Amino acid sequence: MAVDYTVIVVYLAGMLAMGWWGMRRARSKSDFLVAGRRLGPVMYSGTMAAIVLGGASTIGGVGLGYRYGLSGAWMVFTIGLGLLALSVFFSARIARLKVYTVSEMLDLRYGGRAGVISGVVMWAYTLMLAVTSTIAYATIFDVLFDLNRTVAIVLGGSIVVAYSTLGGMWSITLTDMVQFVVKTIGVLLLLLPIAVVKAGGFGEMRAKLPTGYFDPLGIGGETIFTYVLIYTFGMLIGQDIWQRVFTAGSDRTAKWGGTVAGTYCLLYALAGAVIGTAAKVLYPDLGSPDDAFATIVKDELPIGVRGLVLAAALAAVMSTSSGALIACATVANNDIWSKLRGAVRRDGAPEQHDEVRGNRAFILVMGVAVIGTAIALNNVVEALTVAYNLLVGGLLVPILGGLLWKRGTAQGALAAVAVGGLAVVGLMAGYGILANEPVYYGLLASLAAYVAVSLATPATDAAVLSAWRERLAGHGAPELASEPVAAHQ
């Protein structure tokens, strides 16, 4: 394992070096939070693919392939569909808004009265996303170094917190680009063909497994529908995804770069399912489907290649974790803390402070909170399900409604968040946290409240809508005059 250890240690040291380099570039709030809004298509595509394809997509995607066969691709496939929909239909408009958070978009659209509540919901979602990604370090470091759970979480989490705190989005963008390359080589170009060959090829796989393993809909229509509601729609509204859209150097980059990343996700989904199917042939009696990835890597790959593929898994987890961490810190600082601080200031005078230092401090604080929560938490699947249900049930309707329906009002948006959120919580208490019904009915309740209250209240002020349309068109954004024009590849 010495060669494998060397590969991993060099990779981790490289992540920290990227963080140090990114620190030298992060000179303004825009640099630190959204990489100066000037990423070109190559870097944008790579980093967007890296953020959405995390440990769940890699280790979990292989596990679903082990359990269901090719239809196990649907979870990651719906993530790709969501990214494609976001890129084609919404990303250009989102990028032109020149905001930092989803809640800022809601404030801009509805006149400044919807952001704090939505910020709290979004903060809870990004926090739990970061926590579950951080816990995944325990699995990978256990395979690598036989570390106990707490030490593994602290080690992996500290590395992510370090490079994220140093350089913000610039560091995360650079590390994600490396992680994208490592994942592509490790999973698509090495693990996929080796796993198929070791299993005897597709003919042998078909001969040894039930026919249901090769049914595209074998996982079940209801499960696929739930994946679409949670993951496809979640891609449309998550702060971690929007914050990457904000980094695009142009509308064209946001649209076509995201389309490339979404297409890559579809290929990654199929690869994970095929690897899992091959693992079922090789190891038909694993204790847990999620053990399939680590088992096939440990037992079937040659020295050095094994280290690279494990680095790919680590890359998948770290990219999601760092993206969720900066999103969590951005929401906590910009949508919650700054508004609470502003509410208690009586003189109304502007407060002078170093915005980069302030956001850096929030990443550090949130990072420590994420590591502590990850150590304390046991059932992360339930925690993440709660977060996703709240996100989709509470925020999907007011966000998409604001983008698509001019009659939507601030009162309607607040009602949608409150009714949808409370419905999801109440239904999870009744049906169970992992049930499908809470997100189904919560989303319908949110939509009904949004439409009914919006129609029953006065239309949004014409001046607010005018300012909104100006920003959607790319005019009137405060950073437009000062942002560098050049796009970096």
Side-chain angles (χ1 to χ4, degrees), residues 146-476:
D146 196 27
L147 297 175
N148 72 51
R149 181 179 183 274
T150 299
V151 173
I153 289 172
V154 171
L155 175 60
S158 296
I159 292 170
V160 170
V161 171
Y163 73 69
S164 301
T165 302
L166 285 172
M169 187 59 84
W170 267 123
S171 293
I172 292 171
T173 296
L174 293 169
T175 54
D176 276 0
M177 197 64 199
V178 174
Q179 289 158 359
F180 169 74
V181 172
V182 171
K183 277 193 289 194
T184 300
I185 296 172
V187 175
L188 295 184
L189 301 183
L190 292 176
L191 182 58
L192 174 61
I194 290 173
V196 172
V197 169
K198 292 282 187 179
F202 285 104
E204 189 71 12
M205 290 162 63
R206 280 185 175 276
K208 290 188 174 180
L209 294 173
T211 56
Y213 266 72
F214 301 91
D215 179 359
L217 303 179
I219 198 170
E222 184 179 355
T223 299
I224 295 170
F225 182 65
T226 303
Y227 284 159
V228 169
L229 278 184
I230 293 178
Y231 296 114
T232 300
F233 287 132
M235 288 294 106
L236 297 179
I237 59 175
Q239 169 67 25
D240 51 324
I241 310 302
W242 277 42
Q243 199 154 344
R244 296 309 173 98
V245 176
F246 299 150
T247 66
S250 67
D251 296 355
R252 185 177 177 84
T253 294
K255 183 175 182 178
W256 296 111
T259 301
V260 170
T263 304
Y264 178 90
C265 292
L266 303 183
L267 297 174
Y268 200 88
L270 185 59
V274 171
I275 292 166
T277 304
K280 183 67 175 179
V281 173
L282 295 167
Y283 311 100
D285 300 313
L286 289 179
S288 167
D290 286 339
D291 292 338
F293 180 89
T295 303
I296 198 169
V297 169
K298 229 161 99 173
D299 294 351
E300 303 297 337
L301 298 186
I303 294 172
V305 173
R306 179 172 50 199
L308 184 59
V309 174
L310 287 172
L314 196 58
V317 174
M318 293 178 84
S319 58
T320 299
S321 181
S322 59
L325 176 59
I326 193 171
C328 177
T330 302
V331 170
N333 188 13
N334 288 263
D335 294 338
I336 301 174
W337 172 246
S338 64
K339 291 182 180 179
L340 292 176
R341 184 181 59 196
V344 300
R345 287 180 60 83
R346 298 180 182 275
D347 56 5
E351 189 171 352
Q352 300 297 323
H353 63 282
D354 185 336
E355 290 187 315
V356 172
R357 182 181 297 176
N359 282 292
R360 185 173 281 138
F362 263 88
I363 290 181
L364 182 59
V365 170
M366 289 298 106
V368 172
V370 164
I371 292 172
T373 307
I375 292 171
L377 218 59
N378 287 320
N379 199 327
V380 295
V381 174
E382 291 191 356
L384 188 61
T385 301
V386 171
Y388 261 109
N389 284 352
L390 282 173
L391 175 73
V392 175
L395 293 183
L396 179 68
V397 169
I399 292 171
L400 294 189
L403 289 169
L404 300 173
W405 191 40
K406 67 178 182 180
R407 187 59 181 83
T409 66
Q411 295 89 340
L414 289 170
V417 175
V419 171
L422 290 173
V424 163
V425 171
L427 289 165
M428 282 191 294
Y431 284 100
I433 289 176
L434 299 179
N436 295 327
E437 288 83 359
V439 73
Y440 295 167
Y441 300 135
L443 197 53
L444 289 174
S446 179
L447 177 61
Y450 181 70
V451 173
V453 175
S454 292
L455 292 176
T457 52
T460 304
D461 186 84
V464 172
L465 285 178
S466 177
W468 166 253
R469 285 191 291 268
E470 285 287 306
R471 289 288 282 271
L472 276 181
H475 306 301

Side-chain angles (χ1 to χ4, degrees), residues 64-79:
L64 286 171
Y66 183 89
R67 184 174 179 184
Y68 298 106
L70 297 186
S71 67
W74 272 106
M75 183 188 78
V76 183
F77 200 82
T78 56
I79 290 173

